[in-house]
Amino acid sequence: MGTDVLPAVDFESLIVQLQEKLRMPLKDIAAIVGVDTATLYRWRKRETTPQPRAWSRLAELQELIQMLTRLFDGPDLAREWLATAKPKMLGGSAAPLHVMEHGRIHR
């Protein structure tokens, strides 16, 4: 079995960036990444680092936020879209934030 090599990342800066870009509380970031808020605090303090799956979800979330900040005029509109829109590409019945909290960021 091979070892996954994760890039050197300043997780504290990444988590703070995610919070600031969308003014999203840690509990929402934790739900999207699939961990509890205590785990995010440990990453920020460099007490531990994300497992490959969590790292992948953080990277996907960071990419999504970069895209949303290009598409929307400010974090409030992007956050509102994440919480309330029901895009056809997601089946038209679920908000993107709900979908992400249940493990599907890439759609």
Side-chain angles (χ1 to χ4, degrees):
M1 182 162 119
T3 351
D4 291 323
V5 178
L6 299 177
V9 172
D10 180 354
F11 292 104
E12 180 175 7
S13 295
L14 175 57
I15 293 167
V16 168
Q17 176 191 10
L18 293 173
Q19 283 183 280
E20 290 176 353
K21 290 286 185 182
L22 292 178
R23 297 183 187 129
M24 188 178 282
L26 275 179
K27 68 178 183 64
D28 289 349
I29 295 170
I32 291 168
V33 175
V35 298
D36 58 33
T37 54
T39 299
L40 290 182
Y41 283 114
R42 287 191 296 274
W43 294 346
R44 288 179 68 175
K45 293 178 184 180
R46 296 188 174 102
E47 293 174 1
T48 186
T49 57
Q51 296 295 318
R53 181 174 185 273
W55 163 243
S56 176
R57 292 186 58 80
L58 277 171
E60 290 172 347
L61 184 57
Q62 182 180 32
E63 184 179 330
L64 174 66
I65 287 172
Q66 289 170 353
M67 181 184 70
L68 290 175
T69 55
R70 287 191 308 265
L71 291 173
F72 292 97
D73 187 26
D76 293 334
L77 291 174
R79 190 175 53 254
E80 180 182 342
W81 181 84
L82 280 172
T84 62
K86 295 192 173 34
K88 286 184 182 181
M89 68 183 296
L90 297 177
S93 63
L97 186 58
H98 176 77
V99 172
M100 289 187 301
E101 288 172 346
H102 289 88
R104 298 175 295 172
I105 293 177
H106 63 282
R107 285 182 57 185

